[in-house]
Amino acid sequence: MRRGSRVRGLGDEGSAAVEAAIVLPGVLMLLCMAIAGGRLVTSHAKIDAAAEDAAREASIHRTAASAQAAARAAASDSLNDQGLACSSVSVNVNTGGLNVPVGQVGTVRVAVQCTVPLSDLLLPGLPGARTLTSSATSVVDQYRQRGA
């Protein structure tokens, strides 16, 4: 070794940048997955609310035809009001509870199915779609007159 020259030890300069480059993509991916999961849960809650609105609306009508039309309209209005853009909506209404005699308890059941593009639901540009389904039941007033 020459006099006056020193061997420099290897320091850890730049290691923070390398650590960040390794860790940051994973953290960002977890954050995106958490946001996507939250949006899925929120969308399921919106479908649940639409099914409940439709069932309640159907249960207050006297005829099966008017109950089905009202349930479809209520589900569509609820989904639009909540900002959930469905590419297709299916509303199935079971109005059997409207046919029970006055004085007996009947129920109306509504199932709402909404197909949502993943680009609207999770991340812009994401291909594919997800079908969300919910059902709700509402009691028909047992003393209310029913139509024919």
Side-chain angles (χ1 to χ4, degrees):
M1 220 192 233
R2 286 189 304 150
R3 192 169 188 201
S5 71
R6 292 186 181 188
V7 176
R8 222 171 200 201
L10 296 175
D12 60 355
E13 291 110 16
S15 66
V18 172
E19 289 172 4
I22 292 171
V23 172
L24 192 60
V27 170
L28 288 176
M29 186 181 300
L30 287 175
L31 180 64
C32 288
M33 288 177 66
I35 291 171
R39 291 195 63 171
L40 276 173
V41 168
T42 302
S43 296
H44 279 289
K46 290 177 181 181
I47 295 292
D48 289 343
E52 290 168 6
D53 291 346
R56 181 64 191 137
E57 187 66 29
S59 72
I60 62 175
H61 286 277
R62 294 184 177 165
T63 65
S66 65
Q68 288 180 355
R72 286 186 176 90
S76 179
D77 290 345
S78 180
L79 291 171
N80 288 335
D81 290 346
Q82 296 182 61
L84 192 59
C86 301
S87 59
S88 69
V89 178
S90 171
V91 180
N92 296 321
V93 185
N94 180 348
T95 58
L98 295 176
N99 298 328
V100 298
V102 174
Q104 293 181 4
V105 176
T107 59
V108 173
R109 183 170 179 80
V110 175
V112 177
Q113 192 173 38
C114 170
T115 302
V116 183
L118 290 178
S119 60
D120 288 348
L121 194 59
L122 302 176
L123 299 172
L126 195 63
R130 174 94 187 233
T131 301
L132 306 173
T133 304
S134 182
S135 61
T137 303
S138 185
V139 176
V140 177
D141 184 4
Q142 65 181 340
Y143 298 111
R144 183 177 181 149
Q145 179 182 5
R146 294 174 174 103

